[in-house]
Amino acid sequence: MDIAGRSVIKIAGATGLITLFKAFAAQALGLALTLALAWMSPALFHGAWRLALVQGVAAALWSKVLRQPYWWLPIHLLFLPTAIAMLTLQLPSWLYLLTVLLLALVFWGTVKGDVPLFLSSSTVADALAAIVERENANGFADLGAGIGSVAVPLAMYPALKVDAWEHAPLPWLITAWRCRKLPNANAKRASLWDCNLARYELVFAFLSPAVMAELGEKVRREMRPGSLFISSSFPIPEWQPESIVQIEDRRRTQLFCYRVCNASLPSGG
């Protein structure tokens, strides 16, 4: 790994601590506000469930104030009600450990500022397949491949070499299983920062706004002139895309396409 890659990992580690601090702060502030309201109006907050629901709403609002990513809102909203529900049902203790383990295996990089497991739609995969054909690409990298929503459909093209890069253990395992009979597909359990982009004509990523500036530098530094980088939903700051493909799916996804023309220019596309 080069110096830039190590710097990104250090930044990610610091971002992870900040993310955890904000998460705990939102929960604590939500609880404090709920207890204060219950003290002022005890009749309105009778019962644990009502308190839990109000605390969830308060924690979600504090999360917004603390400028956490939008996907933290349902986590804060449901955290305490879910905990009370599990205690009420008197579930076995090992189930709690199993739940935490599964969440860790799926959302491996979430506390570092990455997005949770978001799946690209089949319409996105179809649009990327059309771009692959147009570009006549031989090498394709999916950075943060999840469960292979993009990598597996594209690997149906025998002439295309597909590498699916995924760091979270459980999504990687699912992708590896789905790729087991596809000789031109390779599921790599590694950080995207360890990937050398120079070997690919086309690179795709569906990540997070928090990493797009650093990823843009990696693209500028490593991808060959003439190759194409495509980011789903999140543009590279201050870069001008060659084109923006509007996808007609539920999320109204946009694909930002950047042509690497000159690695020395930040505009890159």
Side-chain angles (χ1 to χ4, degrees), residues 154-176:
L154 290 185
M156 300 299 177
Y157 294 82
L160 182 66
K161 177 68 169 63
V162 176
D163 286 340
W165 293 76
E166 176 55 53
H167 200 203
L170 189 54
W172 166 80
L173 186 61
I174 294 173
T175 299

Side-chain angles (χ1 to χ4, degrees), residues 22-35 55 58-59 62 66:
K22 287 183 177 180
F24 284 121
Q27 284 291 320
L29 291 169
L31 181 59
L33 179 59
T34 302
L35 293 176
Q55 189 275 342
W62 276 113
L66 294 171

Side-chain angles (χ1 to χ4, degrees), residues 107-177:
F107 302 120
W108 194 258
T110 299
V111 297
K112 295 183 178 181
D114 296 340
V115 296
L117 180 62
F118 289 153
L119 306 181
S120 295
S121 65
S122 59
T123 314
V124 169
D126 292 340
L128 289 171
I131 295 174
V132 166
E133 290 188 355
R134 185 192 71 203
E135 295 290 318
N136 195 26
N138 295 315
F140 177 89
D142 185 358
L143 306 181
I147 62 172
S149 302
V150 164
V152 173
L154 290 185
M156 300 299 177
Y157 294 82
L160 182 66
K161 177 68 169 63
V162 176
D163 286 340
W165 293 76
E166 176 55 53
H167 200 203
L170 189 54
W172 166 80
L173 186 61
I174 294 173
T175 299
W177 174 258

Side-chain angles (χ1 to χ4, degrees), residues 4 13 28 46 52 57 72 85 90 94 104 128 132 136 139-140 148 170 182 202 206 216 225 230-232 245-246:
H46 179 69
V57 172
W72 274 97
Q90 296 183 339
W94 58 263
L128 289 171
V132 166
N136 195 26
F140 177 89
L170 189 54
L182 299 171
L202 206 158
F206 182 14
I230 302 175
S231 176
S232 176
V245 179
Q246 180 66 59

Side-chain angles (χ1 to χ4, degrees), residues 92-112:
S93 58
W94 58 263
L95 188 58
Y96 297 96
L97 179 60
L98 179 61
T99 301
V100 172
L101 178 60
L102 287 175
L103 289 173
L105 291 175
V106 174
F107 302 120
W108 194 258
T110 299
V111 297
K112 295 183 178 181

Side-chain angles (χ1 to χ4, degrees), residues 42-251:
L44 296 178
F45 293 90
H46 179 69
W49 279 110
R50 188 171 296 181
L51 283 171
L53 291 173
V54 173
Q55 189 275 342
V57 172
L61 292 175
W62 276 113
S63 175
K64 189 69 175 177
V65 171
L66 294 171
R67 297 183 179 181
Q68 285 196 283
Y70 65 90
W71 44 263
W72 274 97
L73 296 179
I75 295 176
H76 287 297
L77 186 64
L78 298 174
F79 178 77
L80 189 57
T82 301
I84 292 177
M86 295 180 74
L87 291 173
T88 302
L89 293 173
Q90 296 183 339
L91 299 175
S93 58
W94 58 263
L95 188 58
Y96 297 96
L97 179 60
L98 179 61
T99 301
V100 172
L101 178 60
L102 287 175
L103 289 173
L105 291 175
V106 174
F107 302 120
W108 194 258
T110 299
V111 297
K112 295 183 178 181
D114 296 340
V115 296
L117 180 62
F118 289 153
L119 306 181
S120 295
S121 65
S122 59
T123 314
V124 169
D126 292 340
L128 289 171
I131 295 174
V132 166
E133 290 188 355
R134 185 192 71 203
E135 295 290 318
N136 195 26
N138 295 315
F140 177 89
D142 185 358
L143 306 181
I147 62 172
S149 302
V150 164
V152 173
L154 290 185
M156 300 299 177
Y157 294 82
L160 182 66
K161 177 68 169 63
V162 176
D163 286 340
W165 293 76
E166 176 55 53
H167 200 203
L170 189 54
W172 166 80
L173 186 61
I174 294 173
T175 299
W177 174 258
R178 296 182 67 190
C179 292
R180 70 192 187 283
K181 295 183 179 180
L182 299 171
N184 58 319
N186 187 11
K188 296 178 177 288
R189 189 181 173 257
S191 169
L192 64 92
W193 305 111
D194 293 333
C195 173
N196 183 359
L197 303 180
R199 71 185 74 171
Y200 307 108
E201 291 93 353
L202 206 158
V203 175
F204 170 76
F206 182 14
L207 299 172
S208 161
V211 301
M212 292 312 299
E214 289 82 6
L215 184 57
E217 284 301 306
K218 182 176 177 66
V219 168
R220 179 193 60 79
R221 188 172 61 250
E222 297 180 10
M223 291 189 71
R224 293 170 293 176
S227 54
L228 191 68
F229 173 72
I230 302 175
S231 176
S232 176
S233 304
F234 309 117
I236 300 176
E238 301 181 4
W239 283 39
Q240 182 63 40
E242 178 183 77
S243 62
I244 300 176
V245 179
Q246 180 66 59
I247 306 297
E248 299 300 326
D249 60 3
R250 181 177 57 83
R251 285 196 296 260

